[in-house]
């Protein structure tokens, strides 16, 4: 069973959160009900939308982003528009890439070692459970 929140109105759109048994969802719907999009909790946009919705100072940005998604999904832009759009998107990606800090070789090695240790612990637990079940059959 799922539980849906009442939602928050952002311009002509309503943002709701649906808590399901396996995943949570964020839905954005036009007030008219004729357009919507959903993001599952394992999608990066889920947390971004939640953060934007919870910060009243960023509501204008959220509304603009929703409007862009609405307009793009309800239009058939010409080739020139799409070329300009993808150029802008590529520029954005490059700006964001420039803001990321690269992982040092030392940090990379540390992360890999932690993952190996976790996998080793998991395997040990699995083996212990197998042994326990074997021993239960011999009692």
């Amino acid at each position: 069973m799922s539980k849906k929140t009442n939602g928050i109105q952002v311009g002509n759109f309503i943002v709701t959160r649906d808590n399901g048994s396996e995943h949570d969802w964020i839905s954005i719907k036009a007030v008219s009900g004729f357009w919507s999009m959903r993001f599952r909790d394992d999608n990066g946009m889920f947390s971004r939308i939640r953060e934007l919705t919870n910060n009243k100072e960023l509501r204008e940005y959220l509304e603009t982003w929703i409007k862009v998604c609405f307009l793009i999904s309800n239009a058939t832009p010409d080739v020139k528009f799409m070329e300009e759009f993808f150029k802008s998107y590529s520029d954005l990606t490059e700006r964001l890439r420039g803001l990321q800090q690269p992982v040092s070789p030392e940090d990379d090695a540390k992360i890999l070692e932690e993952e190996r240790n976790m996998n080793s612990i998991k395997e040990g637990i699995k083996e212990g459970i197998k042994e326990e079940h074997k021993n239960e059959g011999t009692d």
Side-chain angles (χ1 to χ4, degrees), residues 122-133:
K122 287 178 186 176
E123 288 302 316
I125 291 171
K126 285 181 186 177
E127 289 300 317
I129 291 171
K130 283 181 186 176
E131 284 297 316
E132 193 175 295
H133 286 300

Side-chain angles (χ1 to χ4, degrees), residues 102-116:
V103 177
S104 70
E106 295 83 17
D107 287 342
D108 191 40
K110 183 179 175 183
I111 292 167
L112 287 172
E113 185 60 30
E114 288 173 359
E115 286 298 316
R116 285 186 195 108

